Amino acid sequence: MNHINIGLFCLALTLVSYYASKALYKKQHKTWFAPIIIAPALILIVVVTLKIDVADYFSYSHWLAAMLAPATIAFAVPIYRERLLIKQYPLTLSLGVITGLFLGLASSWLLVKWTHLPPELSHSLMVRSVSTPFAVEATTAFGGVPELTAMLVLLTGIIGMLICEPLFKIAKINSAIAKGVALGASAHGAGAAKATEIGRQEGVIASLTMIFTGIVMVIAAPLFATLIN
């Protein structure tokens, strides 16, 4: 196949993998069947098996990533819809955003210092704890690579989604608000999806925390980058 056909094939592969995994998840409502896990795994297997170059994969599928930026406008909807909840828990949400940002940046910085990662990877790692649309925008302030950042965000979300319930049991966290804030501030979109599985209030709080954490990260990224560097 030529480069155009390979690019179109990869675009179709990405879309089919997502919708197929979404259909599977509706039938088998288990964490391991979540689209955020199954779709990347399917794509990776096909790309590696067929030895498709990364540049060829992104030649057309990069438009999907480009759609993330305008999609952030949709985040205004839950903010407006849940404005009463925001007024009810302003301190909880604010502390969740601040704590999530601080711990996310601090843990990333410590990981970089302890493991001596390559510059591209270390810079891209700094915003891994916020949702992809915000992370892709904020990573440029740290000198990160947007595509690499998106992958690290995905891994962070998957890990948070998988370990949250055991951690809640160990820490004896039973509050719906606490669970929602923790998942939204640390595991972004995947965390919000997991929180919605746990309960409606958890899902709403997680979504709001995720949105506000991302907004603050984008606004404050140049300052954070200056302090860290």
Side-chain angles (χ1 to χ4, degrees):
M1 291 192 294
N2 58 36
H3 292 294
I4 294 177
N5 290 335
I6 292 175
L8 291 174
F9 169 77
C10 291
L11 175 61
L13 170 66
T14 303
L15 294 173
V16 170
S17 297
Y18 171 73
Y19 284 107
S21 60
K22 190 174 182 180
L24 176 64
Y25 186 61
K26 287 183 178 180
K27 294 182 179 180
Q28 302 290 334
H29 206 64
K30 303 292 184 181
T31 300
W32 288 105
F33 291 112
I36 196 173
I37 297 176
I38 297 297
L42 290 175
I43 295 169
L44 183 61
I45 290 172
V46 174
V47 169
V48 172
T49 301
L50 298 180
K51 298 180 180 180
I52 296 175
D53 188 82
V54 174
D56 288 332
Y57 176 82
F58 280 111
S59 59
Y60 282 93
S61 57
H62 77 279
W63 292 111
L64 297 175
M67 293 171 65
L68 288 172
T72 56
I73 298 173
F75 284 135
V77 176
I79 292 176
Y80 175 77
R81 187 174 56 208
E82 303 296 341
R83 59 191 183 280
L84 296 179
L85 191 63
I86 296 172
K87 293 179 180 179
Q88 186 177 358
Y89 300 106
L91 182 60
T92 302
L93 290 170
S94 299
L95 289 176
V97 169
I98 294 171
T99 304
L101 281 174
F102 173 76
L103 292 179
L105 286 168
S107 60
S108 297
W109 181 80
L110 288 173
L111 182 61
V112 169
K113 292 298 181 182
W114 288 344
T115 57
H116 302 289
L117 298 173
E120 295 84 0
L121 182 57
S122 62
H123 296 160
S124 302
L125 185 68
M126 301 310 299
V127 295
R128 63 182 174 79
S129 291
V130 299
S131 186
T132 305
F134 301 110
V136 169
E137 185 67 27
T139 193
T140 54
F142 294 90
V145 180
E147 292 81 6
L148 188 54
T149 295
M151 184 190 71
L152 294 169
V153 169
L154 175 66
L155 291 174
T156 300
I158 291 174
I159 293 172
M161 181 176 65
L162 293 176
I163 68 173
C164 65
E165 290 189 299
L167 287 179
F168 289 152
K169 291 180 181 180
I170 292 173
K172 297 182 179 180
I173 297 176
N174 299 312
S175 167
I177 305 300
K179 291 180 180 179
V181 169
L183 284 167
S186 61
H188 37 80
K194 182 62 179 180
T196 302
E197 287 184 15
I198 297 174
R200 183 186 178 280
Q201 190 174 37
E202 287 91 339
V204 172
I205 292 294
S207 297
L208 291 174
T209 306
M210 174 193 71
I211 294 168
F212 290 132
T213 302
I215 292 173
V216 175
M217 173 61 82
V218 171
I219 294 174
L223 174 62
F224 293 149
T226 301
L227 293 174
I228 291 174
N229 296 329

